[in-house]
Coordinates of all heavy atoms in Angstrom, one line a residue:
M248 N 99.4 115.8 105.3 CA 100.2 115.5 103.9 C 101.4 116.4 103.9 O 101.5 117.4 104.5 CB 99.2 116.1 102.9 CG 99.6 115.8 101.5 SD 99.3 113.9 101.3 CE 100.3 113.7 99.9
F249 N 102.4 115.8 103.2 CA 103.6 116.5 103.1 C 103.6 117.6 102.0 O 103.2 117.3 100.8 CB 104.8 115.5 102.8 CG 104.8 114.4 103.8 CD1 104.4 113.1 103.5 CD2 105.3 114.7 104.9 CE1 104.6 112.2 104.3 CE2 105.5 113.7 105.9 CZ 105.2 112.4 105.6
I250 N 104.0 118.9 102.2 CA 104.0 119.9 101.4 C 105.4 120.3 101.2 O 106.0 120.7 102.3 CB 103.1 120.9 101.7 CG1 101.6 120.6 101.9 CG2 103.2 122.2 100.8 CD1 100.8 121.7 102.4
I251 N 106.1 120.2 100.0 CA 107.5 120.5 99.8 C 107.4 121.9 99.1 O 106.8 122.1 98.1 CB 108.2 119.5 99.0 CG1 108.0 118.1 99.7 CG2 109.5 119.9 98.7 CD1 108.7 118.1 100.9
T252 N 108.1 122.8 99.7 CA 108.1 124.2 99.1 C 109.5 124.5 98.9 O 110.5 123.8 99.3 CB 107.5 125.3 100.1 OG1 108.2 125.3 101.3 CG2 106.1 124.9 100.4
P253 N 110.0 125.6 98.2 CA 111.4 125.9 97.9 C 112.1 126.2 99.2 O 113.3 126.1 99.2 CB 111.2 127.2 97.0 CG 109.8 127.1 96.3 CD 109.0 126.4 97.3
V254 N 111.4 126.6 100.2 CA 112.2 126.9 101.4 C 112.2 125.6 102.4 O 112.8 125.7 103.6 CB 111.5 128.0 102.2 CG1 111.6 129.3 101.4 CG2 110.0 127.7 102.6
S255 N 111.8 124.5 101.9 CA 111.9 123.3 102.7 C 113.3 122.8 102.7 O 114.0 123.0 101.7 CB 111.0 122.3 102.2 OG 109.6 122.6 102.1
S256 N 113.7 122.1 103.8 CA 115.1 121.5 103.7 C 115.2 120.4 103.0 O 114.0 119.7 102.6 CB 115.3 121.1 105.3 OG 114.6 120.1 105.6
E257 N 116.4 120.1 102.5 CA 116.6 119.0 101.6 C 116.2 117.6 102.4 O 115.8 116.8 101.6 CB 118.0 118.9 101.3 CG 118.4 120.1 100.2 CD 119.8 120.0 99.7 OE1 120.4 118.9 99.9 OE2 120.3 121.0 99.3
S258 N 116.4 117.6 103.6 CA 116.1 116.4 104.3 C 114.6 116.1 104.3 O 114.1 114.8 104.2 CB 116.5 116.3 105.7 OG 115.9 117.4 106.4
A259 N 113.7 117.1 104.3 CA 112.3 116.9 104.2 C 111.9 116.3 102.8 O 111.1 115.4 102.7 CB 111.5 118.2 104.5
A260 N 112.5 116.9 101.8 CA 112.2 116.4 100.4 C 112.7 115.0 100.3 O 111.9 114.1 99.7 CB 113.0 117.3 99.4
S261 N 113.8 114.7 100.8 CA 114.2 113.2 100.6 C 113.4 112.4 101.5 O 113.3 111.2 101.1 CB 115.7 113.2 101.0 OG 116.0 113.4 102.4
S262 N 113.0 112.7 102.6 CA 112.2 111.8 103.5 C 110.8 111.5 102.7 O 110.3 110.4 102.8 CB 111.8 112.4 104.8 OG 111.1 113.6 104.7
V263 N 110.3 112.5 102.0 CA 109.3 112.2 101.3 C 109.4 111.3 100.1 O 108.6 110.3 99.9 CB 108.4 113.5 100.7 CG1 107.4 113.3 99.7 CG2 108.0 114.3 101.8
G264 N 110.5 111.4 99.5 CA 111.0 110.4 98.4 C 111.1 109.2 99.0 O 110.8 108.0 98.3
L265 N 111.7 108.9 100.1 CA 111.8 107.6 100.8 C 110.5 106.9 101.1 O 110.3 105.8 101.0 CB 112.7 107.7 102.1 CG 114.2 108.0 101.7 CD1 115.0 108.2 103.1 CD2 114.8 106.7 101.0
V266 N 109.6 107.7 101.6 CA 108.2 107.2 102.0 C 107.6 106.7 100.6 O 107.1 105.6 100.6 CB 107.4 108.3 102.6 CG1 105.9 107.8 102.7 CG2 107.9 108.6 104.1
L267 N 107.7 107.6 99.7 CA 107.2 107.1 98.3 C 107.8 105.8 97.8 O 107.1 104.8 97.5 CB 107.3 108.2 97.2 CG 106.4 109.4 97.3 CD1 106.8 110.4 96.3 CD2 104.9 108.8 97.1
M268 N 109.1 105.7 97.9 CA 109.9 104.6 97.5 C 109.7 103.3 98.2 O 109.5 102.1 97.7 CB 111.3 104.9 97.3 CG 112.1 103.9 96.7 SD 113.8 104.3 96.3 CE 114.4 104.9 97.9
F269 N 109.6 103.4 99.6 CA 109.6 102.2 100.3 C 108.1 101.9 101.0 O 108.1 100.8 101.6 CB 110.5 102.3 101.6 CG 112.0 102.3 101.0 CD1 112.8 103.4 101.3 CD2 112.5 101.2 100.5 CE1 114.1 103.3 100.8 CE2 113.8 101.0 100.0 CZ 114.6 102.2 100.2
V270 N 107.2 102.7 100.9 CA 105.8 102.5 101.5 C 104.8 102.6 100.4 O 104.1 101.5 100.2 CB 105.5 103.5 102.6 CG1 104.1 103.3 103.1 CG2 106.6 103.5 103.7
I271 N 104.7 103.5 99.6 CA 103.6 103.7 98.7 C 103.7 102.8 97.5 O 102.7 102.1 97.2 CB 103.5 105.2 98.2 CG1 103.3 106.2 99.4 CG2 102.4 105.4 97.3 CD1 102.1 106.0 100.3
V272 N 104.9 102.8 96.9 CA 105.1 102.0 95.7 C 104.8 100.5 96.0 O 104.2 99.8 95.2 CB 106.4 102.3 95.0 CG1 106.7 101.4 94.0 CG2 106.4 103.7 94.5
P273 N 105.6 100.0 97.1 CA 105.2 98.6 97.4 C 103.8 98.3 97.8 O 103.3 97.3 97.3 CB 106.1 98.2 98.6 CG 107.1 99.3 98.6 CD 106.5 100.5 98.0
L274 N 103.0 99.2 98.3 CA 101.6 98.9 98.5 C 100.8 98.8 97.3 O 99.9 98.0 97.1 CB 101.1 99.9 99.4 CG 101.4 99.9 100.9 CD1 100.9 101.2 101.6 CD2 100.9 98.7 101.5
F275 N 101.2 99.7 96.4 CA 100.6 99.7 95.0 C 100.8 98.3 94.3 O 100.1 97.7 93.5 CB 100.9 100.9 94.0 CG 100.2 102.1 94.4 CD1 100.8 103.2 94.5 CD2 98.8 102.0 94.4 CE1 100.1 104.4 94.8 CE2 98.0 103.1 94.6 CZ 98.7 104.4 94.9
G276 N 102.1 97.9 94.4 CA 102.7 96.6 93.9 C 101.9 95.4 94.4 O 101.3 94.5 93.7
F277 N 101.7 95.5 95.7 CA 101.0 94.4 96.4 C 99.5 94.4 96.0 O 99.0 93.3 95.6 CB 101.1 94.7 97.8 CG 100.4 93.5 98.7 CD1 100.9 92.3 98.8 CD2 99.2 93.8 99.4 CE1 100.2 91.3 99.5 CE2 98.7 92.9 100.2 CZ 99.1 91.5 100.3
S278 N 98.9 95.6 95.8 CA 97.5 95.7 95.4 C 97.4 95.2 94.0 O 96.5 94.5 93.6 CB 97.0 97.1 95.5 OG 95.8 97.4 94.9
A279 N 98.2 95.5 93.1 CA 98.3 95.1 91.8 C 98.4 93.5 91.7 O 97.6 92.8 90.9 CB 99.4 95.7 90.9
S280 N 99.3 92.9 92.5 CA 99.4 91.5 92.5 C 98.2 90.7 93.1 O 98.0 89.6 92.7 CB 100.7 91.0 93.4 OG 100.5 91.3 94.7
L281 N 97.4 91.4 94.0 CA 96.2 90.7 94.4 C 95.1 90.7 93.4 O 94.3 89.9 93.4 CB 95.7 91.5 95.7 CG 96.4 91.3 97.0 CD1 95.9 92.1 98.0 CD2 96.5 89.8 97.4
L282 N 95.2 91.7 92.5 CA 94.2 91.7 91.5 C 94.3 90.6 90.4 O 93.2 90.2 89.9 CB 94.3 93.1 90.6 CG 93.8 94.4 91.3 CD1 94.1 95.6 90.4 CD2 92.3 94.3 91.6
I283 N 95.4 90.1 90.2 CA 95.5 89.0 89.2 C 94.8 87.8 89.4 O 93.9 87.4 88.6 CB 97.0 88.7 89.0 CG1 97.8 90.0 88.5 CG2 97.3 87.6 88.1 CD1 99.2 89.9 88.5
P284 N 94.9 87.1 90.6 CA 94.1 85.9 90.7 C 92.6 86.1 90.7 O 91.9 85.3 90.0 CB 94.5 85.3 92.1 CG 95.6 86.2 92.6 CD 95.8 87.4 91.8
S285 N 92.2 87.2 91.4 CA 90.7 87.4 91.4 C 90.2 87.8 90.0 O 89.0 87.4 89.6 CB 90.2 88.5 92.4 OG 90.8 89.8 92.1
S286 N 90.9 88.4 89.3 CA 90.6 88.9 87.9 C 90.4 87.6 87.0 O 89.5 87.5 86.2 CB 91.4 89.8 87.2 OG 91.4 91.1 88.0
L287 N 91.4 86.8 87.2 CA 91.3 85.5 86.3 C 90.3 84.7 86.7 O 89.6 84.0 85.9 CB 92.8 84.7 86.5 CG 93.9 85.4 85.9 CD1 95.3 84.6 86.2 CD2 93.8 85.6 84.5
A288 N 89.9 84.6 88.0 CA 88.9 83.8 88.4 C 87.5 84.2 87.9 O 86.6 83.6 87.5 CB 88.8 83.8 90.0
L289 N 87.3 85.6 87.9 CA 86.1 86.3 87.4 C 86.0 86.2 85.9 O 84.8 86.4 85.4 CB 86.0 87.7 88.1 CG 85.8 87.7 89.6 CD1 85.9 89.2 90.0 CD2 84.3 87.1 89.9
V290 N 87.0 86.2 85.2 CA 86.9 86.1 83.7 C 86.3 84.7 83.2 O 85.6 84.8 82.2 CB 88.3 86.3 83.1 CG1 88.4 86.1 81.7 CG2 88.7 87.9 83.3
N291 N 86.7 83.8 83.9 CA 86.3 82.3 83.5 C 84.8 82.1 83.8 O 84.5 81.9 85.1 CB 87.2 81.3 84.1 CG 87.1 79.9 83.5 OD1 86.2 79.7 82.8 ND2 88.0 79.0 83.8
A292 N 84.0 82.0 82.9 CA 82.5 81.7 83.1 C 82.4 80.4 83.9 O 81.4 80.3 84.8 CB 81.8 81.8 81.8
K293 N 83.0 79.4 83.4 CA 82.9 78.1 84.0 C 83.2 78.1 85.5 O 82.6 77.4 86.2 CB 83.6 77.0 83.3 CG 83.4 75.6 83.7 CD 84.4 74.7 83.2 CE 84.3 74.5 81.5 NZ 85.1 73.4 81.1
F294 N 84.3 78.7 85.8 CA 84.8 78.8 87.3 C 83.7 79.7 88.0 O 83.5 79.3 89.2 CB 86.2 79.4 87.3 CG 86.7 79.5 88.6 CD1 87.3 78.4 89.2 CD2 86.7 80.7 89.3 CE1 87.8 78.4 90.5 CE2 87.2 80.7 90.7 CZ 87.8 79.6 91.3
R295 N 83.2 80.7 87.4 CA 82.2 81.4 88.1 C 81.0 80.7 88.5 O 80.5 80.7 89.6 CB 81.8 82.8 87.4 CG 82.8 83.9 87.3 CD 82.2 85.1 86.9 NE 81.3 85.1 85.7 CZ 81.7 85.2 84.5 NH1 83.0 85.7 84.2 NH2 80.9 85.2 83.5
R296 N 80.6 79.8 87.6 CA 79.4 79.0 87.8 C 79.7 77.9 89.0 O 78.9 77.7 89.8 CB 78.9 78.4 86.7 CG 78.0 79.2 85.7 CD 77.3 78.5 84.6 NE 78.3 77.7 83.8 CZ 78.9 78.2 82.6 NH1 78.6 79.4 82.5 NH2 79.8 77.4 82.0
A297 N 80.9 77.4 88.8 CA 81.3 76.3 89.8 C 81.4 76.8 91.2 O 81.2 76.1 92.2 CB 82.6 75.7 89.3
T298 N 81.8 78.1 91.4 CA 82.1 78.7 92.7 C 81.0 79.7 93.1 O 81.1 80.4 94.2 CB 83.5 79.4 92.7 OG1 83.5 80.4 91.7 CG2 84.6 78.4 92.5
F299 N 79.9 79.7 92.4 CA 78.8 80.6 92.6 C 79.3 82.1 92.7 O 78.8 82.9 93.4 CB 78.2 80.2 93.9 CG 77.6 78.8 93.9 CD1 78.3 77.8 94.7 CD2 76.5 78.5 93.1 CE1 77.8 76.4 94.7 CE2 76.1 77.1 93.2 CZ 76.8 76.2 93.9
F300 N 80.2 82.4 91.8 CA 80.5 83.8 91.6 C 79.7 84.5 90.5 O 80.2 84.9 89.4 CB 82.0 84.0 91.4 CG 83.0 83.8 92.4 CD1 84.3 83.6 92.2 CD2 82.6 83.6 93.7 CE1 85.3 83.3 93.1 CE2 83.5 83.4 94.8 CZ 84.8 83.3 94.5
F301 N 78.4 84.7 90.8 CA 77.7 85.4 89.7 C 76.6 86.3 90.6 O 76.5 86.2 91.7 CB 76.8 84.4 88.9 CG 76.1 83.4 89.6 CD1 74.8 83.6 90.0 CD2 76.6 82.2 90.0 CE1 74.1 82.6 90.8 CE2 75.9 81.1 90.6 CZ 74.6 81.4 91.0
G302 N 76.1 87.2 89.9 CA 75.3 88.3 90.6 C 76.0 89.6 90.4 O 77.0 89.7 89.9
K303 N 75.1 90.5 90.9 CA 75.5 92.0 90.7 C 76.7 92.2 91.4 O 77.7 92.9 91.1 CB 74.4 92.9 91.1 CG 73.2 92.8 90.2 CD 72.1 93.8 90.7 CE 71.0 93.7 89.7 NZ 69.8 94.7 90.3
F304 N 76.9 91.7 92.8 CA 78.1 91.9 93.5 C 79.3 91.5 92.7 O 80.3 92.2 92.9 CB 77.9 91.2 94.9 CG 79.2 91.3 95.7 CD1 79.5 92.5 96.4 CD2 80.1 90.3 95.9 CE1 80.5 92.6 97.2 CE2 81.1 90.4 96.6 CZ 81.4 91.6 97.3
W305 N 79.4 90.3 92.2 CA 80.6 89.8 91.8 C 80.9 90.5 90.3 O 82.1 90.7 90.0 CB 80.5 88.2 91.4 CG 80.5 87.5 92.8 CD1 79.5 86.9 93.4 CD2 81.7 87.5 93.7 NE1 80.0 86.5 94.6 CE2 81.2 86.9 94.8 CE3 82.9 88.1 93.7 CZ2 82.2 86.6 95.9 CZ3 83.8 87.7 94.6 CH2 83.4 87.1 95.9
Y306 N 79.8 91.0 89.7 CA 80.1 91.7 88.4 C 80.7 93.1 88.8 O 81.5 93.7 88.1 CB 78.8 91.9 87.6 CG 78.5 90.7 86.8 CD1 77.2 90.0 87.1 CD2 79.4 90.2 85.9 CE1 77.0 88.9 86.3 CE2 79.0 89.0 85.1 CZ 77.9 88.4 85.4 OH 77.6 87.2 84.7
C307 N 80.3 93.6 90.0 CA 80.8 94.9 90.5 C 82.2 94.8 90.9 O 83.1 95.6 90.5 CB 80.0 95.5 91.7 SG 80.6 97.0 92.3
V308 N 82.5 93.6 91.5 CA 84.1 93.3 91.9 C 84.8 93.2 90.6 O 85.9 93.7 90.5 CB 84.1 92.1 92.7 CG1 85.5 91.5 92.9 CG2 83.4 92.2 94.1
W309 N 84.3 92.6 89.6 CA 85.0 92.3 88.4 C 85.2 93.6 87.7 O 86.4 94.1 87.2 CB 84.1 91.6 87.5 CG 84.8 91.0 86.1 CD1 86.2 91.2 85.9 CD2 84.3 90.3 85.1 NE1 86.4 90.6 84.6 CE2 85.2 90.1 84.2 CE3 83.0 89.8 84.9 CZ2 85.0 89.4 83.0 CZ3 82.8 89.1 83.7 CH2 83.7 88.9 82.8
G310 N 84.2 94.6 87.7 CA 84.4 96.0 87.2 C 85.4 96.8 87.9 O 86.3 97.5 87.4
I311 N 85.4 96.7 89.2 CA 86.4 97.4 90.1 C 87.8 96.9 89.8 O 88.9 97.6 89.7 CB 86.1 97.3 91.5 CG1 84.9 98.1 91.9 CG2 87.3 97.8 92.5 CD1 84.2 97.9 93.3
N312 N 88.0 95.6 89.6 CA 89.3 94.9 89.3 C 89.7 95.4 87.9 O 91.0 95.7 87.7 CB 89.2 93.5 89.3 CG 89.2 92.9 90.6 OD1 89.3 93.6 91.6 ND2 89.1 91.5 90.7
S313 N 88.8 95.5 87.0 CA 89.2 96.0 85.5 C 89.6 97.4 85.7 O 90.5 97.7 85.0 CB 87.9 95.8 84.7 OG 87.6 94.5 84.6
F314 N 88.9 98.2 86.5 CA 89.3 99.6 86.5 C 90.6 99.8 87.1 O 91.4 100.5 86.5 CB 88.2 100.3 87.4 CG 88.7 101.8 87.8 CD1 88.6 102.8 86.8 CD2 89.1 102.1 89.0 CE1 89.0 104.1 87.1 CE2 89.6 103.4 89.3 CZ 89.5 104.4 88.3
F315 N 91.0 99.1 88.2 CA 92.2 99.2 88.7 C 93.4 98.6 87.9 O 94.5 99.2 87.9 CB 92.4 98.5 90.2 CG 91.8 99.4 91.3 CD1 90.7 99.0 92.0 CD2 92.4 100.6 91.6 CE1 90.2 99.7 93.0 CE2 91.9 101.4 92.6 CZ 90.7 100.9 93.3
S316 N 93.1 97.6 87.2 CA 94.0 97.0 86.3 C 94.3 98.1 85.1 O 95.5 98.2 84.8 CB 93.5 95.6 85.7 OG 93.3 94.7 86.6
L317 N 93.4 98.7 84.6 CA 93.6 99.7 83.6 C 94.4 100.9 84.1 O 95.2 101.4 83.4 CB 92.2 100.1 83.0 CG 91.6 99.1 82.0 CD1 90.2 99.6 81.6 CD2 92.4 98.7 80.8
A318 N 93.9 101.3 85.4 CA 94.6 102.4 86.0 C 96.1 102.1 86.2 O 97.1 102.9 86.0 CB 94.0 102.8 87.3
Y319 N 96.5 100.9 86.7 CA 97.9 100.5 86.8 C 98.7 100.5 85.5 O 99.7 100.9 85.4 CB 98.0 99.2 87.5 CG 97.7 99.2 89.1 CD1 97.0 98.1 89.6 CD2 98.0 100.3 89.9 CE1 96.6 98.2 90.9 CE2 97.7 100.3 91.2 CZ 97.0 99.2 91.7 OH 96.6 99.3 93.0
L320 N 97.9 99.9 84.5 CA 98.5 99.9 83.1 C 98.8 101.4 82.7 O 99.9 101.5 82.0 CB 97.6 99.1 82.2 CG 98.1 99.0 80.9 CD1 99.4 98.1 80.8 CD2 97.0 98.2 80.0
A321 N 97.8 102.2 82.8 CA 98.1 103.6 82.3 C 99.1 104.3 83.1 O 100.0 105.0 82.5 CB 96.7 104.3 82.5
V322 N 99.3 104.1 84.4 CA 100.4 104.8 85.2 C 101.6 104.1 84.8 O 102.8 104.9 84.6 CB 100.0 104.4 86.7 CG1 101.3 104.9 87.5 CG2 98.9 105.4 87.1
G323 N 101.8 102.8 84.5 CA 102.9 102.1 84.1 C 103.4 102.7 82.7 O 104.6 103.0 82.5
L324 N 102.4 102.9 81.9 CA 102.7 103.5 80.5 C 103.2 104.9 80.6 O 104.2 105.3 79.8 CB 101.6 103.3 79.5 CG 101.3 101.9 79.2 CD1 100.1 101.8 78.3 CD2 102.5 101.3 78.3
Y325 N 102.6 105.6 81.5 CA 102.9 107.0 81.5 C 104.3 107.1 82.1 O 105.2 107.9 81.7 CB 101.9 107.8 82.6 CG 102.3 109.1 82.8 CD1 102.1 110.0 81.7 CD2 102.6 109.6 84.0 CE1 102.5 111.4 82.1 CE2 103.0 110.9 84.3 CZ 102.9 111.9 83.2 OH 103.2 113.1 83.5
F326 N 104.7 106.4 83.1 CA 106.1 106.5 83.7 C 107.1 105.9 82.7 O 108.2 106.4 82.6 CB 106.2 105.7 85.1 CG 105.7 106.4 86.2 CD1 104.8 105.7 87.1 CD2 106.1 107.6 86.5 CE1 104.2 106.4 88.2 CE2 105.6 108.4 87.6 CZ 104.7 107.8 88.4
S327 N 106.8 104.9 82.0 CA 107.6 104.6 80.7 C 107.9 105.7 79.8 O 108.9 105.8 79.4 CB 107.1 103.2 80.0 OG 106.9 102.2 80.9
Y328 N 106.7 106.5 79.5 CA 106.8 107.5 78.6 C 107.8 108.5 79.2 O 108.6 109.2 78.5 CB 105.5 108.0 78.3 CG 105.5 109.4 77.5 CD1 105.8 109.4 76.1 CD2 105.2 110.5 78.2 CE1 105.8 110.7 75.5 CE2 105.2 111.8 77.5 CZ 105.4 111.8 76.2 OH 105.6 113.0 75.6
L329 N 107.5 108.9 80.5 CA 108.3 109.9 81.2 C 109.9 109.5 81.1 O 110.8 110.3 80.9 CB 108.0 110.1 82.6 CG 106.6 110.9 82.7 CD1 106.4 111.1 84.1 CD2 106.8 112.3 82.1
Y330 N 110.1 108.2 81.4 CA 111.6 107.7 81.4 C 112.2 107.8 80.0 O 113.3 108.2 79.9 CB 111.5 106.2 81.8 CG 112.8 105.6 81.9 CD1 113.8 105.9 82.8 CD2 113.3 104.8 80.9 CE1 115.0 105.3 82.8 CE2 114.5 104.2 80.8 CZ 115.5 104.5 81.8 OH 116.6 103.9 81.8
L331 N 111.4 107.4 79.0 CA 111.9 107.6 77.7 C 112.2 108.9 77.3 O 113.2 109.3 76.5 CB 111.0 106.8 76.7 CG 111.0 105.3 76.8 CD1 110.0 104.8 75.8 CD2 112.5 104.7 76.6
T332 N 111.3 109.9 77.5 CA 111.4 111.2 77.1 C 112.4 112.1 77.9 O 113.2 112.9 77.4 CB 110.0 111.9 77.0 OG1 109.4 111.9 78.2 CG2 109.1 111.3 75.9
V333 N 112.1 112.0 79.3 CA 112.9 112.8 80.2 C 114.3 112.2 80.5 O 115.3 112.8 80.6 CB 112.2 113.1 81.5 CG1 113.0 113.9 82.4 CG2 110.8 113.9 81.1
G334 N 114.3 110.9 80.6 CA 115.5 110.2 81.1 C 116.5 110.2 79.9 O 117.8 110.3 80.3
Y335 N 116.3 110.2 78.7 CA 117.2 110.3 77.7 C 117.5 111.8 77.1 O 118.3 112.0 76.2 CB 116.9 109.4 76.4 CG 116.9 108.0 76.9 CD1 115.9 107.1 76.7 CD2 118.1 107.4 77.3 CE1 116.0 105.8 77.0 CE2 118.3 106.1 77.6 CZ 117.2 105.2 77.5 OH 117.3 104.0 77.9
G336 N 116.6 112.7 77.6 CA 116.9 114.1 77.2 C 116.6 114.4 75.8 O 117.2 115.2 75.2
N337 N 115.4 113.7 75.2 CA 115.1 114.0 73.8 C 114.5 115.4 73.8 O 113.7 115.9 73.7 CB 114.0 113.0 73.5 CG 114.6 111.6 73.4 OD1 115.7 111.4 73.1 ND2 113.7 110.5 73.5

């Protein structure tokens, strides 16, 4: 894991920022985009019956999708809050 301390060089701090910007954030975006079709399929009861998506396993998948969707929403709202409060210097 990258540990940034006050004595770290500026290049080490910027490289961690680049990894976050070009690797971690796109992976989270890709993960969030994969949740949308499966969540929509699991919400529709008629579709679940037609494709045999019922049982404890699929309800567990639906719960995990819901958890990640709420987590992404909470993180997005938190970053929006930070942008509005810190970004404008309120």
Side-chain angles (χ1 to χ4, degrees):
M248 190 70 198
F249 302 108
I250 298 174
I251 302 300
T252 62
V254 296
S255 298
S256 68
E257 290 181 18
S258 63
S261 64
S262 66
V263 171
L265 287 173
V266 167
L267 285 172
M268 186 170 55
F269 291 116
V270 176
I271 304 299
V272 172
L274 286 176
F275 279 129
F277 182 69
S278 172
S280 66
L281 286 178
L282 284 175
I283 294 169
S285 62
S286 295
L287 290 176
L289 292 170
V290 165
N291 189 349
K293 187 190 295 186
F294 184 79
R295 280 196 319 263
R296 278 193 304 273
T298 55
F299 302 105
F300 285 169
F301 53 86
K303 291 180 183 179
F304 174 76
W305 292 109
Y306 284 120
C307 183
V308 170
W309 191 7
I311 291 170
N312 280 359
S313 300
F314 171 76
F315 279 118
S316 297
L317 290 174
Y319 288 140
L320 182 63
V322 168
L324 289 173
Y325 179 69
F326 281 132
S327 299
Y328 170 76
L329 286 179
Y330 177 75
L331 290 175
T332 58
V333 176
Y335 289 125
N337 290 338

